[in-house]
Amino acid sequence: MRDTTTVGDSMTDTQIAGAPSAGAPVTKEDKKRKKDREASLWSDALSDLRRNPVFVIGALLVLFMLVVSAFPSWFTSIDPFAGGACQLSDSLKKPSGEHWFGFDIQGCDVYARTVYAARNSVIVGIVTTALVIIVGGGLGLLAGWVGGITDSLLSRFTEIFFAIPLLLGGMLIMSALPGNAWTVSIVLATLGWPQIFRIMRSSVLQNKNNDYVVAARALGAGTLRITLRHILPNAIAPVIVVGAISLGVYISAEAALSYLGIGVQPPQISWGLMVSDASVRWLQAPHVLLFPAAALSITVLAFIMVGDAVRDALDPKLR
């Protein structure tokens, strides 16, 4: 009997041949065969990631930033949005034991603002990445699986967005919209989904004619089952890799838009907005620029480290 065992195939000839008969006792060999069948690209990748110091360090940094953005009051007792939080008498004071990052030109505690600014920056990165994966991944799955006129129309439609640079298009659109984290996320997602579309479409085209898909069709599996159980799990890996790396890129894009004055607007706080405010007096008080810029750089680096490690783990050619 043919052996057609492949990743993602839950009903193969090997499984049928090796399955114990009804009522038969489960032996050690049966358990071993079941364990071997459950081994997959994802379990191998997870095992590699646990041993990868780049991923561990990057994941810990990402986790720390997520906790900071979700619970900023755990890390500082100063609420920068409270009345009287900023005193002009403290303007541009240097770091001290009581105020670790010093004060900005308005007399606001830079440490407290840096902590609270993490929320908007991380929200933009996560929400934008989620939107581009859902929209681009969904349309790419549809185009690659259906093919024909649907693929042609979606591909031509995608090329329109590829002609618009991310930052330039973001500047143009944001100049006419209210500046907040959610608006920035939607604008960046609107311009960023075509990349994920092409990656997903290409991955689906590579997987749709594999043996496990042919076997599933032969066993009578429907289109929806094949798509969700076989095509999607095997085609999603490169999308996850690019999404993890792009998350840091979107945080940088938000910072750039806020620096130009068309992203997050006061009284909200973001690292890009803090860098913009500090750029006027950075020679006089470099600490005002240094700390938010360092937080931005570390966060972007952490997400890129995670994305690179995931790429190495999921790409069999790099093993």
Side-chain angles (χ1 to χ4, degrees):
M1 181 171 289
R2 292 186 298 115
D3 184 351
T4 58
T5 304
T6 55
V7 176
D9 188 0
S10 59
M11 298 179 64
T12 63
D13 296 342
T14 301
Q15 293 181 26
I16 295 171
S21 59
V26 179
T27 65
K28 290 183 178 180
E29 289 188 10
D30 295 332
K31 292 181 178 179
K32 185 177 183 302
R33 281 197 296 267
K34 181 178 179 181
K35 184 176 181 180
D36 291 340
R37 290 196 301 268
E38 291 173 351
S40 65
L41 174 65
W42 296 101
S43 60
D44 292 342
L46 183 59
S47 178
D48 289 344
L49 289 175
R50 290 173 178 171
R51 298 192 299 267
N52 189 338
V54 173
F55 174 79
V56 173
I57 294 173
L60 289 176
L61 288 173
V62 168
L63 179 61
F64 175 73
M65 288 301 177
L66 291 176
V67 174
V68 170
S69 62
F71 307 102
S73 59
W74 289 3
F75 300 88
T76 176
S77 59
I78 301 175
D79 183 356
F81 299 106
C86 302
Q87 300 292 333
L88 287 176
S89 58
D90 295 326
S91 178
L92 299 180
K93 284 187 177 179
K94 298 185 180 300
S96 63
E98 185 177 356
H99 300 279
W100 297 348
F101 292 1
F103 294 87
D104 63 10
I105 192 171
Q106 299 294 331
C108 303
D109 187 277
V110 175
Y111 172 74
R113 287 176 62 83
T114 301
V115 169
Y116 275 82
R119 175 171 295 176
N120 280 326
S121 298
V122 171
I123 283 176
V124 169
I126 293 177
V127 173
T128 304
T129 302
L131 289 175
V132 298
I133 289 178
I134 293 172
V135 176
L139 293 178
L141 179 63
L142 177 65
W145 178 246
V146 176
I149 187 64
T150 301
D151 183 18
S152 298
L153 290 175
L154 287 174
S155 296
R156 301 296 80 77
F157 178 68
T158 303
E159 290 171 358
I160 297 175
F161 288 87
F162 265 115
I164 307 175
L166 182 66
L167 279 180
L168 183 60
M171 291 168 56
L172 181 63
I173 298 173
M174 285 302 303
S175 62
L177 296 175
N180 57 64
W182 303 103
T183 304
V184 173
S185 299
I186 294 173
V187 169
L188 293 178
T190 301
L191 300 173
W193 67 268
Q195 180 186 24
I196 298 296
F197 169 87
R198 281 195 171 180
I199 293 172
M200 175 61 88
R201 174 182 175 275
S202 176
S203 186
V204 170
L205 290 175
Q206 292 175 7
N207 285 276
K208 66 185 292 186
N209 294 319
N210 283 346
D211 290 341
Y212 59 85
V213 177
V214 176
R217 283 174 176 165
L219 291 170
T223 299
L224 183 61
R225 178 183 175 85
I226 294 174
T227 303
L228 298 180
R229 293 291 300 275
H230 302 294
I231 296 295
L232 183 59
N234 290 280
I236 197 68
V239 173
I240 292 176
V241 172
V242 174
I245 297 175
S246 298
L247 201 153
V249 174
Y250 293 132
I251 292 177
S252 299
E254 179 277 323
L257 292 175
S258 297
Y259 180 85
L260 295 172
I262 52 177
V264 175
Q265 299 292 319
Q268 301 177 75
I269 311 173
S270 79
W271 290 324
L273 194 58
M274 292 181 66
V275 170
S276 177
D277 293 339
S279 62
V280 180
R281 298 289 184 92
W282 73 273
L283 288 176
Q284 180 183 355
H287 65 275
V288 180
L289 174 65
L290 174 63
F291 294 111
L296 173 64
S297 300
I298 291 172
T299 303
V300 172
L301 176 62
F303 281 108
I304 292 177
M305 290 170 63
V306 170
D308 285 342
V310 172
R311 179 200 59 196
D312 295 343
L314 292 176
D315 190 347
K317 297 178 182 178
L318 299 177
R319 293 179 184 275

